[in-house]
Amino acid sequence: MFAASHRRLNRLTGEWVLVSPHRTTRPWQGQVEEITTAQQPAYDPACYLCPGNERAGGARTAQYGSTYVFDNDFAALTPDVVPEEDDRKGLLVAQSERGICRVVCFSPRHDLTLGQMSVEAIRTVVDTWVDQYVELGGLDWVRHVQVFENRGAMMGASNPHPHGQIWANERMPNEPAKELAQQRARAETGGCLLCDYLDVELDAGGRIVTSNDHFTALVPFWAVWPFETLVLPRAHAGALPELDTDQRDGVADILRRLTRRYDRLFGVTFPYSMGLHQPPTDGDAHPEWHLHAHFYPPLLRSATVRKFMVGYELLGQPQRDITPETAAQRLRELPED
Ligand SMILES: [Zn+2]
Ligand SMILES: [Zn+2]
Ligand SMILES: [Zn+2]
C-alpha cells in the first residue's frame, strides 16, 4: 500500500478516508486519559443492572441468572408517538419517530466483560440478540433493529456492568441506510459486496486479525478508527436468526477472541462502541445484505491516548495516521487465550 498520503474508499458507505502513514512518528503533546484500573466487585449494591437492585424510577432488576432484557427506563424513543410530519419549503423537515429502546445485561456478574465470559455464556447473549431481532423486527412498524454495546467511560458508558442496548426504529438510521444503498448497488452488478470483499481480504491476508470456522475479524481497508474492526460471517448470511447452532457458537467465539486481543493491546479493558448490522425489517427480502459487526475503539497509541474526530475530520473527512495494515498486524501478534 502507498507509503505517502492517500485516500481510501469505504465501499460499505461510499465515503472516503484520508490515510497519512508518514505522520505516525509525530510527537504527542495532547490530552492523556486517566486509566481506570479499579477492580470491580462481582456484585455492586449500588449498580442498577446487578440482579435484584432497584433502578432509578422505581423499577427493580430481576434476580437473573444469565442475560436480562428490559425496556430502558429513560428511553430516547417511545412506541406511542402520534404520527406527525412537517415540511416548510423543503427546508425545515421533520417527522415523528417511534421506537423501542431496551437494555441487555450480558451477565449477572458485575465484574466481567464479553472477553472474560465463556463462549457458552456469550452464546446466551447471541441467542438473546436473535430473539430480540425476531421480536422487535416482527413489529409491523419497526424497520430497523440496532444491537450495540458502548464499553468504557471513554465511550460514554455510564455503568461498568457488562451490558448492551437495542434500539428498534420506525425508519432506517443514517449508517445502515448508506450501507443498504452500497450493498444494493453491488448486488445489481451480480455480487454480494461483503462476500466479494471478504474474498479479497482473505487473499491479501494483511488486514486479517483472527478467524474461526465461521467468522473472520479484520481491520477494514477503509478503517477510520485506529483499531477499528469488521467481523464477517464467511458464508453469506443476512440476519442473526439465519445462523445455525454452530454458526451462533462461531459468533460467540469470534467476539471472545477479538475482545481478548483488544484488552491485551494496551493492557486495559479496551473501550469501544460495537454494533451488529442486520437487514432492515421492513417486510422486504434483502438478499443484498451481508451480516456484520463493527468495532469502533477510540484508543490510538496507549491506554491514555485517544483519537479525536475534530477539526478537518468534522469539517472535511476522517483521517488516520497508523495504517489499517499496521493496526491489523499489532492485533494479530497478540495472544487470545
Ligand atoms: Zn452491576
Ligand atoms: Zn454475502
Ligand atoms: Zn455496517
Side-chain angles (χ1 to χ4, degrees):
M1 207 31 72
F2 311 113
S5 57
H6 59 281
R7 64 177 197 158
R8 298 187 187 189
L9 178 63
N10 181 335
R11 286 298 280 115
L12 253 186
T13 61
E15 294 170 345
W16 294 87
V17 52
L18 285 178
V19 185
S20 313
H22 57 286
R23 244 185 21 148
T24 36
T25 51
R26 146 183 99 103
W28 177 260
Q29 294 181 310
Q31 178 173 343
V32 172
E33 303 282 348
E34 292 293 321
I35 308 180
T36 326
T37 49
Q39 183 61 46
Q40 300 291 338
Y43 167 80
D44 178 355
C47 169
Y48 66 96
L49 299 177
C50 276
N53 289 354
E54 194 178 334
R55 306 200 296 269
R60 191 170 285 279
T61 296
Q63 283 290 354
Y64 62 102
S66 56
T67 63
Y68 176 63
V69 182
F70 62 92
D71 283 339
N72 195 318
D73 300 315
F74 303 97
L77 296 163
T78 56
D80 49 9
V81 174
V82 178
E84 257 187 297
E85 289 215 22
D86 200 3
D87 185 339
R88 295 180 208 182
K89 302 185 177 182
L91 295 170
L92 309 184
V93 182
Q95 300 171 321
S96 56
E97 177 75 9
R98 289 182 285 175
I100 295 172
C101 300
R102 290 185 173 163
V103 176
V104 182
C105 297
F106 296 160
S107 163
R109 282 271 302 268
H110 185 80
D111 58 338
L112 295 184
T113 63
L114 266 188
Q116 291 161 348
M117 290 163 61
S118 65
V119 170
E120 295 72 30
I122 304 172
R123 169 61 197 274
T124 309
V125 176
V126 174
D127 289 341
T128 303
W129 290 336
V130 170
D131 294 344
Q132 291 292 314
Y133 179 82
V134 170
E135 180 193 327
L136 294 167
L139 297 173
D140 58 2
W141 56 270
V142 168
R143 294 189 180 83
H144 181 75
V145 178
Q146 183 60 57
V147 170
F148 66 101
E149 177 191 9
N150 283 333
R151 191 169 92 169
M154 208 181 270
M155 296 309 283
S158 51
N159 187 324
H161 195 109
H163 72 286
Q165 300 184 56
I166 301 177
W167 289 24
N169 274 61
E170 186 172 358
R171 297 185 187 83
M172 284 285 280
N174 297 341
E175 293 305 312
K178 285 183 256 178
E179 295 184 353
L180 180 63
Q182 294 294 314
Q183 291 180 98
R184 259 189 191 150
R186 182 76 179 192
E188 278 162 15
T189 70
C192 166
L193 196 157
L194 288 177
C195 278
D196 293 350
Y197 173 65
L198 182 58
D199 280 348
V200 170
E201 287 290 21
L202 289 171
D203 195 41
R207 283 172 295 273
I208 306 294
V209 173
T210 185
S211 292
N212 60 28
D213 287 348
H214 302 288
F215 287 84
T216 291
L218 53 86
V219 178
F221 176 76
W222 52 73
V224 166
W225 294 93
F227 294 94
E228 175 179 337
T229 53
L230 182 67
V231 179
L232 295 166
R234 298 164 72 104
H236 182 83
L240 281 182
E242 294 170 28
L243 303 181
D244 66 21
T245 317
D246 282 353
Q247 289 171 311
R248 290 182 196 185
D249 285 342
V251 177
D253 177 72
I254 201 79
L255 292 180
R256 187 169 190 276
R257 286 170 186 266
L258 182 57
T259 53
R260 290 175 82 81
R261 284 176 185 272
Y262 273 146
D263 290 350
R264 287 214 160 97
L265 186 61
F266 298 135
V268 289
T269 300
F270 211 66
Y272 58 70
S273 280
M274 175 273 275
L276 293 164
H277 274 159
Q278 305 185 73
T281 55
D282 52 8
D284 294 336
H286 287 282
E288 75 283 354
W289 193 280
H290 190 114
L291 172 69
H292 59 279
H294 299 278
F295 278 81
Y296 299 125
L299 292 180
L300 176 58
R301 70 177 77 174
S302 73
T304 56
V305 178
R306 62 163 297 166
K307 176 181 175 63
F308 286 96
M309 288 285 216
V310 294
Y312 189 80
E313 303 179 308
L314 278 180
L315 295 155
Q317 63 191 2
Q319 181 271 340
R320 63 179 295 144
D321 295 344
I322 173 180
T323 63
E325 293 72 34
T326 303
Q329 187 187 349
R330 290 197 54 190
L331 285 169
R332 200 166 49 234
E333 283 167 354
L334 295 164
E336 60 191 21
D337 280 313

